[in-house]
């Protein structure tokens, strides 16, 4: 779905066109967006919050205070920070004038005033109000401040008059929103699969073979890509990390076999694969469903090889797909990384070495060198994994029209 992972605050103001906001909310959801609705007091005269709450599967916000007796209030700053885009549809002449003035005597205006994301308006009003110099000047001012204006259309109006002032149709508004994301987010429309964390290979009911991978690098990449518009499929082994905002799919797995199954099923539909997971190369050939006790434990544990997930992705890689691996080495590691780049049919390999302080497992920082197919090599200094993730994805950002 084109808007999966995108967050839209839908502001509804007091116009008869508010009935179309229900269809718009549904359409945005149908395209995958998460929607929060903020209604002005005037809007609630035209359509009930219950309708919108049901359609977006979340309570509607319309008051500064949530529960007067308990003293709880709606945090307009949080809502403004939550969204990728605030879409005011319908936008009345009054709300637009208030936006120009920076007024905030209702919750929606306060959300708009405190938001860091972009704002779009879909005006709706009678034709004479629309053509009035004040309204036109306000629209120009809003546009000059970067507000996206989705022009009203011509046709019969609630007043009985005919002319320009009808709110654009919900489908067309949703198209404009989609286009806006496409223009503003370099990874919009791209699907990326990321493996992260360790795998746990069970020995008995309670024990496993594993490693110290924290998942932090993979999660940082997932966050950076999702923020820039990608539809992220994050397949992770056992980690203690919350799902980053905007990540569309998180698939939790335990073992290498589980991870392999999830990855191979999704890989054909992806544009980019990033293998960050520290996959166990082998697993016990037999596992006990009960707990071993002293005395009844095996004398030796037989190991069998796990599939190389990344190698398998490389084998089935299509011309339009890009594939990136990670190589964690204990020494210098360049020649070993380069041979993995070849053997696994990768487009790039990110080398980090435990010889560098602050690099590798469990740290919040990392220091890497990226070797690209064709011989190009990019070195990054020690930095936080979140900053590094932003730098790394800049290397792989799809070129426009590519
Ligand atoms: O060969 P090596 O294990 O050092 O290669 C590391 C790269 O291969 C990493 O990107 C890791 O995620 C991936 N890998 C994998 N499946 C395995 C082993 C490694 O996807 N079984």
């Amino acid at each position: 779905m084109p808007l999966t992972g995108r967050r839209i605050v839908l502001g509804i103001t007091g116009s008869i066109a508010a009935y179309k906001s229900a269809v718009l909310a549904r359409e945005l959801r149908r395209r995958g967006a998460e929607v929060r609705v903020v209604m002005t007091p005037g809007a609630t005269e035209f359509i009930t919050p219950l309708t919108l709450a049901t359609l977006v599967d979340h309570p509607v916000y319309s008051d500064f205070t949530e529960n007067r007796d308990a003293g709880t209030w709606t945090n307009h700053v949080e809502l403004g920070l939550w969204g990728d885009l605030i879409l005011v549809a319908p936008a009345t002449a009054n709300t637009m004038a208030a936006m120009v003035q920076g007024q905030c005597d209702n919750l929606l205006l306060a959300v708009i005033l405190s938001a860091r994301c972009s704002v779009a308006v879909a005006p709706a009003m009678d034709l004479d109000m629309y053509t009035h110099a004040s309204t036109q000047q306000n629209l120009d001012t809003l546009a000059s401040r970067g507000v996206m204006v989705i022009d009203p259309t011509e046709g019969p109006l609630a007043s009985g008059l005919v002319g320009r002032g009808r709110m654009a149709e919900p489908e067309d508004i949703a198209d404009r929103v989609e286009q806006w994301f496409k223009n503003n987010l370099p990874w919009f429309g791209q699907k990326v699969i990321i493996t992260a964390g360790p795998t746990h290979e069970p020995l008995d009911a309670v024990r496993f073979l594993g490693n110290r991978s924290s998942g932090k690098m993979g999660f940082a990449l997932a966050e950076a890509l999702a923020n820039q518009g990608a539809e992220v499929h994050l397949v992770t082994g056992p980690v203690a990390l919350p799902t980053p905002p905007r990540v569309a799919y998180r698939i939790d797995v335990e073992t290498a076999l589980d991870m392999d199954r999830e990855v191979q099923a999704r890989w054909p539909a992806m544009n980019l694969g990033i293998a960050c997971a520290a996959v166990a190369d082998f697993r016990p050939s037999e596992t006990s469903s009960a707990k071993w006790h002293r005395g009844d434990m095996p004398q030796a544990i037989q190991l069998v090889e796990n599939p190389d997930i990344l190698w398998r992705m490389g084998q089935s890689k299509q011309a339009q797909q890009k594939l990136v691996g990670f190589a964690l080495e204990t020494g210098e590691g360049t020649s070993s990384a380069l041979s993995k780049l070849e053997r696994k049919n990768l487009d790039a390999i990110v080398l980090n070495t435990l010889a560098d302080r602050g690099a590798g497992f469990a740290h919040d920082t990392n220091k890497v060198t990226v070797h690209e197919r064709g011989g190009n090599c990019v070195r990054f200094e020690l930095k936080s994994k979140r900053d590094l993730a932003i730098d790394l994805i800049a290397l792989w950002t799809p070129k426009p029209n590519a």
Side-chain angles (χ1 to χ4, degrees):
M1 291 186 286
L3 293 178
T4 299
R6 307 285 36 109
R7 295 168 161 189
I8 297 169
V9 176
L10 176 61
I12 306 179
T13 68
S15 150
I16 181 60
Y19 83 92
K20 290 194 204 169
S21 304
V23 182
L24 175 59
R26 197 193 54 189
E27 183 59 20
L28 294 170
R29 287 290 306 272
R30 197 184 66 75
R31 296 181 192 212
E34 244 187 291
V35 182
R36 298 280 182 271
V37 174
V38 184
M39 296 172 80
T40 62
T44 60
E45 302 283 326
F46 288 93
I47 185 165
T48 72
L50 182 62
T51 308
L52 272 306
T54 309
L55 287 170
V56 304
D57 205 14
H58 198 275
V60 163
Y61 305 94
S62 52
D63 250 327
F64 282 108
T65 43
E66 272 168 22
N67 184 338
R68 246 170 259 277
D69 297 334
T72 50
W73 62 298
T74 306
N75 189 334
H76 56 276
V77 176
E78 241 168 46
L79 257 175
L81 293 179
W82 175 87
D84 297 321
L85 179 70
I86 297 175
L87 168 64
V88 186
T92 57
N94 183 57
T95 289
M96 291 190 297
M99 284 168 70
V100 168
Q101 295 293 322
Q103 290 171 19
C104 54
D105 58 358
N106 65 44
L107 181 67
L108 176 61
L109 290 170
V111 170
I112 293 171
L113 203 57
S114 56
R116 294 200 184 148
C117 66
S118 296
V119 178
V121 291
M125 66 200 74
D126 212 47
L127 77 164
D128 296 311
M129 291 173 87
Y130 179 66
T131 49
H132 196 282
S134 309
T135 307
Q136 288 302 312
Q137 202 170 5
N138 287 338
L139 277 166
D140 288 346
T141 306
L142 291 176
S144 72
R145 292 179 191 165
V147 172
M148 169 167 75
V149 178
I150 303 171
D151 289 332
T153 58
E154 277 184 45
L157 298 160
S159 60
L161 300 173
V162 176
R164 187 171 293 279
R166 291 165 61 89
M167 184 175 84
E169 291 307 314
E171 281 257 333
D172 298 331
I173 296 177
D175 284 349
R176 284 287 299 275
V177 166
E178 226 181 281
Q179 191 59 45
W180 181 87
F181 279 116
K182 202 173 274 174
N183 296 342
N184 286 276
L185 297 172
W187 285 87
F188 188 79
Q190 298 284 309
K191 295 181 185 196
V192 182
I193 191 160
I194 301 172
T195 67
T199 62
H200 286 182
E201 311 298 329
L203 285 158
D204 70 359
V206 295
R207 302 180 181 92
F208 57 84
L209 288 180
N211 60 65
R212 284 192 247 277
S213 169
S214 64
K216 285 177 184 168
M217 193 65 239
F219 274 58
L221 284 161
E223 179 169 9
L225 283 159
N227 280 343
Q228 294 194 21
E231 180 184 302
V232 173
H233 299 237
L234 177 58
V235 184
T236 178
V239 294
L241 296 173
T243 309
R246 299 177 179 81
V247 165
Y249 303 96
R250 171 182 178 154
I251 306 102
D252 286 283
V253 297
E254 287 274 325
T255 65
L257 288 176
D258 294 341
M259 186 175 275
D260 189 46
R261 192 174 342 99
E262 292 293 342
V263 169
Q264 306 309 336
R266 288 163 191 264
W267 173 230
M270 299 291 135
N271 301 99
L272 170 66
I274 304 179
C276 229
V279 183
D281 288 319
F282 28 75
R283 64 181 183 277
S285 60
E286 282 175 39
T287 55
S288 164
S289 55
K291 183 183 167 189
W292 289 331
H293 292 99
R294 275 176 206 276
D296 69 4
M297 61 204 228
Q299 292 306 298
I301 296 165
Q302 284 271 352
L303 299 174
V304 290
E305 232 179 273
N306 270 330
D308 186 329
I309 301 169
L310 181 57
W311 181 85
R312 295 192 56 200
M313 293 166 89
Q315 290 301 296
S316 63
K317 191 174 78 169
Q318 305 289 311
Q320 75 285 1
Q321 291 181 306
K322 296 261 173 287
L323 189 56
V324 177
F326 273 69
L328 177 68
E329 305 290 344
T330 44
E332 194 271 330
T334 305
S335 63
S336 160
L338 289 175
S339 89
K340 281 174 199 169
L341 179 76
E342 276 309 316
R343 184 159 40 86
K344 303 197 188 200
N345 192 23
L346 309 179
D347 297 280
I349 190 147
V350 181
L351 167 64
N352 51 9
T353 154
L354 293 179
D356 284 322
R357 282 182 57 163
F361 281 174
H363 293 290
D364 287 323
T365 53
N366 207 358
K367 181 177 172 188
V368 305
T369 306
V370 181
H371 295 277
E372 294 180 331
R373 182 162 286 275
N376 194 29
C377 166
V378 189
R379 239 172 262 282
F380 294 99
E381 286 315 309
L382 184 74
K383 56 178 74 184
S384 77
K385 287 182 174 170
R386 289 179 92 178
D387 287 345
L388 177 62
I390 293 167
D391 287 351
L392 286 175
I393 68 168
L395 291 178
W396 311 316
T397 302
K399 312 272 177 295
N401 306 320

